[in-house]
Amino acid sequence: MTTLFVNIQELLQVRDSDIAFVAGADMKILPSIKNAYLLIEGDEIKDFGEMSDLPFIEADTIEDCAGKIVLPTWYDSHTHIVYAGNRELEFVDRINGLSYEEIANRGGGILNSAKKLQETSEDDLYEQSKLRLMEVMKMGTGGVEIKSGYGLTTEAELKMLRVIKRLKEEFSLPIKATFLGAHAFPAEYKNNHEGYIDVLINEMLPKVAAENLAEFVDAFCETGYFSVAQTRKIVEAAKQYGLVPKIHVNQFTMINGIEMAVDCKALSVDHLEVLNDADVEVLKGSGTMPVALPSCSYFISIPYTPARKLIDNGLPLALASDYNPGTTPSGNMNFVVATACIKMKITPEEAINAATINGAYAMNLSREYGSITKGKKANVMITKPVPSFYYLPYSFGEQLIDKVMIQGNF
Ligand code: NIG
Ligand code: FE
């Protein structure tokens, strides 16, 4: 099966060499070909170039992309798509003046979602999550990481991870699973934090590993949640089972969690709405990807990750949605990209690099996905006719993705 895209107004993120991620000043460069063609064979990118160099090809399908942009799909490296029910009442409470912390302290927040999830069957949870996944795929997401963390009991955490496994089996886009048992302390362990960590390490982790349910481990390293020392303990235990760390850190407070995460060779550190110079220094040359979640900042009115500071210091940046029922009930990566440009003052080139190749890196996928490179997987999308690719973040809120190809199929 071959598909030939012709007359592409501009083909974005064209890379000859196999790069893992882009950083610093290079993020402003988004290599492209104007008036281009793109040939897909099976599930791979076979060839591309200028229309004037198009060889004679008898393709099974021809897509005329006149006036349209073609680019790799979005790689959303941080989501909590598997959850039960919603928290719209807390949303209204926040409008009426309560803070995220106040809501959490009275049993809302993560514990509210955990209660709902514990009462939901695995099949029901799968159906709810599947709808969300289908929705984000229509908007251009072609690879996604999904976390557990709304179970908080061994049984419910395994239920979440089994739902993620089922999504992996049913959908052809790459899905990576993260074990986030350390998302919050359950009410029963309010005064016995070490007791919960013991369950997590000695009961949950061995079962997660035995069923091969996760490739990554995460913890909410934050004041009032998991301390730096507790996070390190969990991460080190998880590493014994081969799980790679990706850590929620610096969302509300700076507690030197980034230093610990880098020391533990985390693949990514996510949130970073608050960040100091020492955090920036420690990230340099580390291979740990800083991940910003601008939809979360937007929804709960907290500062935006200082992306300019990161990039201007030579660091890379990835963008992700954080799709979850509490702080980001949206998985729309087009909105993420637009909001990053508008609120974090990064250019469309930087934002697209952050949401494609760097997003793929933040879930260990960038060798196979995230750029238009011969031999990489054919996860690409076509926009509606637009004046230029700058129009994508400019016309924020408009659904401009026309077609999404996953592994060579629309
Ligand atoms: O990434 N910060 C921690 N976890 C989620 C929100 C959890 C919730 O409120 O349900 C986040 O924002
Ligand atoms: Fe999150």
Side-chain angles (χ1 to χ4, degrees):
M1 168 77 183
T2 51
T3 307
L4 180 64
F5 299 67
V6 293
N7 303 320
I8 303 168
Q9 180 196 143
E10 194 164 358
L11 178 64
L12 305 183
Q13 191 62 294
V14 173
R15 307 269 177 184
D16 284 335
S17 62
D18 190 8
I19 49 154
F21 62 84
V22 279
D26 289 343
M27 287 196 67
K28 273 209 170 69
I29 303 164
L30 183 65
S32 74
I33 304 174
K34 289 193 171 147
N35 197 19
Y37 73 89
L38 171 67
L39 178 66
I40 306 299
E41 196 176 276
D43 63 355
E44 280 185 8
I45 296 170
K46 180 79 179 163
D47 195 16
F48 53 82
E50 289 180 24
M51 278 304 286
S52 54
D53 296 331
L54 176 64
F56 176 75
I57 298 166
E58 261 186 278
D60 298 315
T61 313
I62 294 188
E63 279 291 325
D64 188 352
C65 301
K68 302 173 176 184
I69 307 290
V70 174
L71 69 163
T73 53
W74 306 127
Y75 288 88
D76 189 353
S77 66
H78 181 138
T79 85
H80 310 248
I81 275 179
V82 173
Y83 61 83
N86 287 290
R87 307 219 305 261
E88 71 280 9
L89 298 181
E90 292 180 8
F91 165 66
V92 178
D93 287 340
R94 264 205 323 279
I95 295 171
N96 286 324
L98 286 183
S99 68
Y100 182 77
E101 195 183 0
E102 285 164 335
I103 291 168
N105 287 344
R106 52 167 215 193
I110 296 167
L111 297 188
N112 182 0
S113 285
K115 185 168 181 291
K116 288 188 194 340
L117 190 138
Q118 287 162 12
E119 291 162 356
T120 302
S121 73
E122 193 169 314
D123 282 343
D124 187 2
L125 188 60
Y126 173 76
E127 292 304 326
Q128 293 186 37
S129 310
K130 177 181 152 183
L131 291 181
R132 294 181 198 115
L133 185 57
M134 283 161 56
E135 197 59 37
V136 299
M137 288 174 76
K138 266 196 275 176
M139 295 188 284
T141 295
V144 69
E145 179 260 16
I146 310 176
K147 300 173 195 296
S148 71
Y150 288 120
L152 307 184
T153 63
T154 304
E155 190 193 336
E157 282 295 306
L158 291 174
K159 176 163 68 182
M160 284 188 86
L161 291 165
R162 287 182 190 129
V163 166
I164 303 173
K165 188 176 178 190
R166 210 161 135 195
L167 292 169
K168 283 188 191 189
E169 288 160 3
E170 298 294 323
F171 287 82
S172 56
L173 84 169
I175 297 176
K176 296 280 185 156
T178 301
F179 172 56
L180 175 58
H183 200 186
F185 288 101
E188 317 79 279
Y189 290 95
K190 197 172 173 220
N191 299 314
N192 179 16
H193 287 182
E194 289 310 313
Y196 182 62
I197 292 170
D198 186 54
V199 170
L200 204 151
I201 291 177
N202 296 312
E203 204 177 296
M204 295 186 190
L205 261 177
K207 291 192 172 149
V208 170
E211 283 189 50
N212 203 6
L213 290 172
E215 35 269 283
F216 303 126
V217 61
D218 193 351
F220 189 14
C221 183
E222 183 59 67
T223 308
Y225 292 82
F226 292 80
S227 70
V228 173
Q230 289 167 336
T231 302
R232 185 188 281 276
K233 186 171 172 190
I234 293 161
V235 163
E236 275 170 2
K239 283 176 84 167
Q240 304 295 313
Y241 295 98
L243 303 190
V244 174
K246 280 168 69 68
I247 308 294
H248 277 79
V249 68
N250 283 44
Q251 182 175 7
F252 302 111
T253 57
M254 290 177 275
I255 52 174
N256 295 329
I258 295 181
E259 193 183 342
M260 173 276 303
V262 167
D263 190 45
C264 292
K265 303 217 169 348
L267 180 59
S268 71
V269 280
D270 303 37
H271 275 288
L272 321 186
E273 286 88 344
V274 292
L275 199 65
N276 62 28
D277 292 345
D279 295 324
V280 171
E281 283 311 308
V282 92
L283 282 165
K284 288 183 182 170
S286 66
T288 300
M289 178 66 69
V291 179
L293 311 162
S295 297
C296 172
S297 298
Y298 175 84
F299 190 72
I300 60 168
S301 303
I302 58 172
Y304 287 86
T305 303
R308 279 263 60 90
K309 182 175 174 141
L310 290 164
I311 296 173
D312 294 345
N313 269 285
L315 291 169
L317 177 80
L319 289 169
S321 72
D322 199 17
Y323 195 174
N324 77 73
T327 67
T328 324
S330 162
N332 184 347
M333 285 294 288
N334 304 289
F335 181 78
V336 169
V337 167
T339 306
C341 295
I342 298 161
K343 296 292 186 186
M344 290 159 50
K345 303 281 179 236
I346 66 174
T347 66
E349 289 88 345
E350 289 172 322
I352 293 172
N353 275 320
T356 56
I357 187 75
N358 286 5
Y361 176 86
M363 51 179 148
N364 251 338
L365 286 174
S366 66
R367 293 281 164 215
E368 278 188 301
Y369 297 90
S371 63
I372 305 293
T373 303
K374 285 178 198 172
K376 276 198 175 182
K377 297 291 182 199
N379 285 19
V380 296
M381 56 188 173
I382 312 174
T383 68
K384 292 177 182 165
V386 287
S388 74
F389 75 84
Y390 296 131
Y391 190 81
L392 303 174
Y394 162 83
S395 189
F396 79 97
E398 191 182 350
Q399 166 51 336
L400 290 167
I401 305 303
D402 189 22
K403 282 187 161 183
V404 181
M405 172 179 262
I406 302 290
Q407 318 282 14
N409 295 308
F410 285 118

